Amino acid sequence: MKKKLTALLLGLVLAVQLCIPASAETQLNYVTDTAGLLTSEELDTLEENAAELSEKYNFGVYIVTVDDYLTYTDTYDPESAAEEIYLSNELGEGSDQSGLLLLLSMEARDWSMFAFGYGNTAFTDYGKQYLSESFLDDFRKDVWYDGFEDYQQRCGEMLDAALAGNPVDVNNVPTNPNARMYGIIACTVLGILVAVLVAFLLKHQLKSVAHGTQAEAFVAAGGLQLTRQQDRYTHTTQSRVYDPPSKSSGSGGGTTTRSSGGSSASGKF
């Protein structure tokens, strides 16, 4: 009963805050779990992680869960709901309100993101989909804490890449370090197996060969006699210089912004 009452109170807080004008000085926590998906310990840990990200990057990384986003907004799509929650609660860090909000709506298992300020640079259209891969595998199995933790971790990695001048985009896809390691291991093992197989075949072919102790054993009877001589053309050597094609300016990457100045993405889990 106490847990249900707490969830109800959190829902009321969120509903009230969404109705307060943007000029009012109010703000949600970094992690607001009105759907009751997390334990208090998990909620505290995620809140601490988000606070550390905010301090390190001057960038807000937010999570909001609701039973049904239609309860808190008049919009009829999850992307607009995330946008309204973000802007009406004045989320974000700094004068440009830089941040990223992940919204989960449990009724129809919708997720949506809304980025603002520097979030449009750090989280491109492709980058948002790349980010969603970090949590969707967990959410589809109803593993909430791990999914949110992976979301926060990848946000930090993508912010690092953006600050280094290489935001994740269609032309800058991060290499999975585990996949690289597995590839190296697989190539090494394959090389060893091929070497062992070749050595075995060569050794097998030499079983019928006896050791020669006299030099004459290696000379054909009657000596070497050339009965025919012929010149044969084999090949011509050519040198070529690779001229890479020029890069097209239309890469299809970047960020598509909404009328509010933010950008968004959504899907199902």
Side-chain angles (χ1 to χ4, degrees), residues 14 32-38 62-70 72 78-79 81-82 85 101-114 132 135-136 138-140 142-145 147-148 151 265-269:
L14 178 59
T32 304
D33 180 30
T34 60
L37 304 179
L38 303 166
Y62 302 95
I63 297 169
V64 173
T65 73
V66 297
D67 292 322
D68 186 354
Y69 70 87
L70 293 174
Y72 306 103
E79 291 185 12
I85 291 173
L101 167 68
L102 171 62
L103 172 67
L104 257 63
S105 179
M106 304 307 297
E107 177 67 25
R109 298 182 74 87
D110 292 299
W111 67 267
S112 60
M113 293 182 200
F114 181 75
S132 72
F135 56 74
L136 285 179
D138 292 313
F139 290 168
R140 286 169 181 149
D142 293 348
V143 180
W144 311 115
Y145 175 78
F148 290 133
Y151 159 76
S266 61
K268 298 283 188 178
F269 59 89

Side-chain angles (χ1 to χ4, degrees), residues 98-157:
S98 292
L100 177 71
L101 167 68
L102 171 62
L103 172 67
L104 257 63
S105 179
M106 304 307 297
E107 177 67 25
R109 298 182 74 87
D110 292 299
W111 67 267
S112 60
M113 293 182 200
F114 181 75
F116 202 73
Y118 188 67
N120 293 329
T121 300
F123 300 93
T124 62
D125 294 343
Y126 176 86
K128 292 183 184 70
Q129 296 301 323
Y130 172 77
L131 175 57
S132 72
E133 295 172 2
S134 67
F135 56 74
L136 285 179
D137 57 337
D138 292 313
F139 290 168
R140 286 169 181 149
K141 296 180 290 188
D142 293 348
V143 180
W144 311 115
Y145 175 78
D146 290 351
F148 290 133
E149 189 176 48
D150 291 343
Y151 159 76
Q152 290 179 330
Q153 180 178 344
R154 184 161 289 188
C155 280
E157 295 170 356

Side-chain angles (χ1 to χ4, degrees), residues 21-99:
S23 59
E25 295 184 0
T26 181
Q27 190 177 70
L28 299 179
N29 295 328
Y30 289 113
V31 183
T32 304
D33 180 30
T34 60
L37 304 179
L38 303 166
T39 67
S40 58
E41 292 79 8
E42 291 171 341
L43 189 61
D44 290 342
T45 300
L46 292 173
E47 183 73 19
E48 291 175 6
N49 293 344
E52 291 175 2
L53 289 171
S54 173
E55 182 177 357
K56 181 177 180 179
Y57 299 104
N58 192 31
F59 186 93
V61 177
Y62 302 95
I63 297 169
V64 173
T65 73
V66 297
D67 292 322
D68 186 354
Y69 70 87
L70 293 174
T71 305
Y72 306 103
T73 177
D74 293 332
T75 61
Y76 291 95
D77 72 272
E79 291 185 12
S80 296
E83 176 182 44
E84 185 172 325
I85 291 173
Y86 191 99
L87 296 176
S88 64
N89 287 277
E90 296 185 329
L91 301 182
E93 301 290 341
S95 58
D96 59 351
Q97 290 184 253
S98 292

